[in-house]
Amino acid sequence: MKRLQLGVLASGRGSNFEAILKHIDAGRLLADVRALASNRTSAGALKIAERRNIPALVLSRKDFSSDEMFDQEILDFFRKNEVDFVVLAGYLRLLTAVLIQPYKNRILNIHPALLPSFGGKGMFGHHVHEAVLDYGCKVSGVTVHLVDETYDSGPIILQRCVPVQNGDTPDTLAARVLKQEHQIFSEALQLFAEERILIKGRRVYVQSS
Ligand code: GRF
């Protein structure tokens, strides 16, 4: 077992960030949140960090000359706060090698559908649920996956199905999916804390405890 020292990246509301904090408080996830960084001054996640006295960094891409310089600032902030594992909790930017290399196989993202369907550029928020409903899917779900330099494409750690119901709107489906997100993200992180994840190429094996 190894207590994860988390650095969280979030662009929005922050309900997944908050759920992680609650699982830590309840002793279900062996981790500390060391730092939060956001690319949006309006992100709800920043308020959560403030309430919890978690060091926070807000930065805007337009203040940097490249994506790499932007990520370097985040990397420096995470290193200063001794982050050893990164969580993308509703973070809408693609990461560069500047962050991916130092945290290789130690960056997780959560996606509100069953990848590899309904992922990729532009597939975020209600766009995902709208596409699932438009396709006529009877099942959607949640995917927690490792992050690489392409949107939603890294090896999958955990997935969970969520039924689509008659009369669902993007909002009702999103709410049902979000409920599962708040569980499965911390479950996936706990598997890393328990050192039970074995990665071989795209294949991820969960070793028994
Ligand atoms: C979630 O639906 C997550 O799957 C996606 O972005 C959303 C973030 O929601 N990546 P929140 O900010 O955690 O409430």
Side-chain angles (χ1 to χ4, degrees):
M1 288 267 221
K2 194 169 174 297
R3 197 171 186 94
L4 304 178
Q5 301 302 312
L6 301 178
V8 178
L9 287 167
S11 304
R13 172 178 63 181
S15 72
N16 275 288
F17 173 39
E18 182 138 56
I20 287 168
L21 289 164
K22 284 184 180 160
H23 284 289
I24 293 172
D25 291 347
R28 288 186 292 267
L29 170 57
L30 190 67
D32 298 309
V33 176
R34 303 296 301 231
L36 169 91
S38 179
N39 60 326
R40 296 254 171 92
T41 45
S42 58
L46 287 166
K47 293 218 171 66
I48 298 168
E50 195 184 336
R51 276 206 304 274
R52 296 268 191 156
N53 286 321
I54 293 167
L57 173 74
V58 197
L59 63 181
S60 169
R61 172 62 182 84
K62 64 175 165 31
D63 297 332
F64 296 84
S65 54
S66 67
D67 290 339
E68 284 76 12
M69 303 279 274
F70 180 88
D71 280 358
Q72 184 64 50
E73 182 90 3
I74 296 172
L75 179 65
D76 293 345
F77 173 65
F78 279 176
R79 283 193 163 144
K80 196 177 86 194
N81 287 288
E82 296 175 347
V83 166
D84 67 14
F85 201 103
V86 177
V87 173
L88 309 195
Y91 185 61
L92 294 176
R93 289 184 51 80
L94 201 57
L95 301 191
T96 67
V98 169
L99 269 171
I100 292 172
Q101 287 310 322
Y103 290 108
K104 192 159 172 45
N105 289 338
R106 295 187 70 78
I107 309 178
L108 286 189
N109 181 44
I110 188 153
H111 184 75
L114 294 174
L115 294 174
S117 293
F118 306 109
K121 196 170 164 51
M123 274 296 178
F124 61 91
H126 69 98
H127 299 292
V128 178
H129 307 293
E130 229 159 63
V132 167
L133 293 174
D134 285 348
Y135 199 90
C137 293
K138 302 301 178 207
V139 171
S140 189
V142 184
T143 304
V144 179
H145 65 93
L146 288 161
V147 171
D148 60 18
E149 284 156 57
T150 312
Y151 282 112
D152 301 325
S153 79
I156 291 169
I157 304 297
L158 287 180
Q159 287 187 304
R160 193 149 298 156
C161 292
V162 173
V164 174
Q165 290 175 1
N166 282 336
D168 258 341
T169 63
D171 283 350
T172 59
L173 180 57
R176 195 174 311 115
V177 168
L178 192 65
K179 230 170 155 179
Q180 291 305 320
E181 291 187 43
H182 293 165
Q183 298 303 322
I184 194 175
F185 213 174
S186 290
E187 286 173 28
L189 287 164
Q190 179 62 14
L191 291 175
F192 281 90
E194 292 175 8
E195 298 171 288
R196 289 171 58 195
I197 295 291
L198 185 67
I199 302 156
K200 289 191 175 170
R202 275 215 68 89
R203 295 191 184 206
V204 174
Y205 301 90
V206 179
Q207 295 166 307
S208 49
S209 46

